[in-house]
Each structure stands twice: as structure tokens, then as C-alpha cells.
Amino acid sequence: MTRFIRYEESRPAALRAMLAETPTAYLPIGPLRWEGEAVPLGQAGIRARRFCEEVAAGAGGVVFPPIYWRGFGTGGLPFTFEFDPEPMGHVVEEGLRELAGWGFEKIVVCDGGGASLLGEMLAETCDRVMDREEAARAVELTRVPSVPGEPSDDELGEERRGRPETSIRFEESGPEQVAALIERSPVAYVPLGALEWHGEHGPLGLDGIKAHHICERAAQRTGGVVFPTIFWGAFDTMPFPFTFHFERAHLKSVLHPLLTQLSVWGFQVIVLLTGHYPPTHIRLM
């Protein structure tokens, strides 16, 4: 039997079965930021998710998509997103409370960023959730260290080096690759999606999965950089099982600085493509 599942790729029946067998949730967190010339810009989230899956492979549980789009305290490094910390705290807290309400008895928050300000905020948030009556039995914060041997930009993209790329994934690419592609094809694709029920037959992350796929297909034709899906913060989701509900202000707090920073980096076309489209969501975008 599968020891763990990825929430966004799974159907409700699989999540119910895992809750009955191993009611443990893993929430990886890692900002999109510069960590060195030879390191992918999404390494913090990649590191956190890898750690979660390695632990879950032995202990069981559900691994959620990384929270990429909430970094702060990064000091103005190149190709690094900087957001207001307060909305991130609300998103993490609301997410943890939802998970406890679904029946998860243990929630492991994995911080792949290692930044002191982010870690302090996560610790305070976990403590607040544990103080609530409806909290899971345990909410743990784990700081994922950078370890020797984790893949560098060279290793992730060795087959790409030495020839021009039409498109790349931002989180898997190094600063030099992103800069070169902006010079050649200054187009940014940003997919959005909700984490919600789509019937018994559909994966819980369907909205973001389809949006990301379409962005990649488009980027292969036009050139450009595809960014990781904004899953955390979608609002006006339906009142169905295993569905996250967030306030609209949380998504608004991401979109404005996101567009501003992409413009400053030199992107001339920015495509926001959402797979979650209630009218209020579209109007906000």
C-alpha cells in the first residue's frame, strides 16, 4: 500500500483512506529566492517537499503542495520575491486549522527556508494553532537544513546547458538561466489554482494542475518562464470536503507585489492564468 499521497494529485477517496490509516499532514514551506548562482531559485521549497516525502514514505501521511509565494525578510537579493509577512501568517494559520478540522491528528510544518524571521513567524503561528480547542493533537515545526549533495542548478538542468531554452520552470532554474531567458523572451506565466473538492473522480488540486499544464504548453511555443502555481490563498471555494477556504485579502496581498516585482526584473508580458474562476476571483485578478 502507498505510504503517502500528494494532496493535489489525489482524489477524495484516497485522502479519506489515508486519514483513517495515518492521519498525518506535511506542509512544506520555502520562499522563491536567490541562494547562490548555481542553486535553483525554488530550492527552499524543493528541499522542504523532498524532506516531507522522505519522512512520509516511512511514516505515512499526506504531503501538501509547497507554500512558495509567501517569502519575506530576504534582504533584496536578486530574483527573490518579497511579501508582507502578516498575510502569510494568516494563510498558514487558516490552513492548519482546516487540516485539524478534517481530522489530522498530527501536522508537520517543514520550513525549508532557514530564514530567522520566517522561522519565528511559523513558530508563533504553530503555537497559536495548538492553543485552540479544535487543534490537532500535535503541530510540529521542523527546520529543514541544507544538506550536502542536494541537486544544484547544474544537476537539475544538465541536459539543458549549452543550448538555448525556449522556456524554463523558475523554481528549478538558477539565476543565470532566468536572466538569459528574460533577455530572450521576457514573458512570465503564473498559474493559479484552488485546493478543493472536484467530485469523487477529480484530483483535489485540479485547478492548479490544469493551469500549470496550459502555461507550460504556451511557454513552449512563445518562450518565457513558468512560475510555480499559486495554490494557497484561493477564495470563494465551495463548501465541500477537503477544501481550503481563504479570505480574498490573502490573494490580493500576493498579486500586487508579484506583478510589480516581475516588471522590475524585466518581464514585458505577464500572464496570470487561473484554473479556479468564480466571478469574484476573476474580478480581483
Side-chain angles (χ1 to χ4, degrees):
M1 185 171 183
T2 303
R3 294 299 300 167
F4 76 94
I5 60 173
R6 289 182 170 182
Y7 166 92
E8 73 275 21
E9 298 173 359
S10 303
R11 292 167 174 79
L15 189 52
R16 282 193 290 269
M18 190 60 73
L19 268 170
E21 180 188 354
T22 311
T24 302
Y26 299 87
L27 179 56
I29 297 176
L32 298 168
R33 69 178 192 190
W34 187 91
E35 291 193 40
E37 290 296 338
V39 179
L41 290 156
Q43 184 73 305
I46 294 171
R47 178 189 302 129
R49 182 156 200 167
R50 184 188 307 117
F51 176 85
C52 289
E53 294 190 345
E54 288 174 354
V55 174
V62 181
V63 179
F64 286 79
I67 298 181
Y68 278 118
W69 292 97
R70 301 284 172 176
F72 62 93
T74 49
L77 296 168
F79 295 125
T80 296
F81 286 98
E82 182 81 20
F83 297 101
D84 183 354
E86 184 175 355
M88 178 178 184
H90 289 305
V91 165
V92 174
E93 183 170 352
E94 290 175 18
L96 293 177
R97 292 177 63 189
E98 296 265 9
L99 293 176
W102 297 353
F104 284 103
E105 297 180 1
K106 180 179 180 181
I107 305 170
V108 182
V109 179
C110 298
D111 174 17
S116 59
L117 292 176
L118 175 61
E120 290 170 8
M121 184 278 292
L122 291 175
E124 293 172 0
T125 303
C126 289
D127 288 343
R128 278 201 307 275
V129 173
M130 280 296 292
D131 288 340
R132 295 180 178 272
E133 292 181 0
E134 73 272 22
R137 294 180 185 174
V139 179
E140 301 178 359
L141 174 62
T142 298
R143 292 182 173 85
V144 184
S146 177
V147 296
E150 66 182 6
S152 66
D153 173 52
D154 289 346
E155 294 168 318
L156 284 173
E158 182 63 35
E159 76 282 358
R160 301 192 299 255
R161 298 183 67 81
R163 63 181 176 85
E165 283 297 321
T166 59
S167 66
I168 57 174
R169 292 182 177 180
F170 179 85
E171 73 274 21
E172 297 177 359
S173 305
E176 183 180 339
Q177 287 176 284
V178 173
L181 197 51
I182 291 174
E183 182 71 23
R184 234 177 10 255
S185 303
V187 183
Y189 290 90
V190 183
L192 297 89
L195 299 170
E196 65 176 352
W197 189 89
H198 290 95
E200 290 295 331
H201 64 290
L204 291 156
L206 174 63
D207 291 346
I209 291 171
K210 65 186 180 184
H212 192 273
H213 179 75
I214 292 170
C215 284
E216 291 212 310
R217 290 292 297 273
Q220 289 166 6
R221 295 188 178 191
T222 66
V225 179
V226 180
F227 287 81
T229 304
I230 301 176
F231 276 118
W232 297 93
F235 60 95
D236 281 4
T237 49
M238 298 297 289
F240 288 118
F242 308 132
T243 296
F244 287 93
H245 306 273
F246 297 103
E247 298 293 329
R248 63 179 290 131
H250 301 336
L251 183 59
K252 186 176 181 180
S253 71
V254 168
L255 290 182
H256 187 270
L258 161 66
L259 294 173
T260 300
Q261 290 172 78
L262 291 178
S263 299
V264 169
W265 294 353
F267 285 103
Q268 296 179 25
V269 176
I270 304 170
V271 180
L272 296 177
L273 179 66
T274 181
H276 174 68
Y277 27 76
T280 50
H281 184 92
I282 298 298
R283 282 200 297 271
L284 173 62
M285 291 177 59

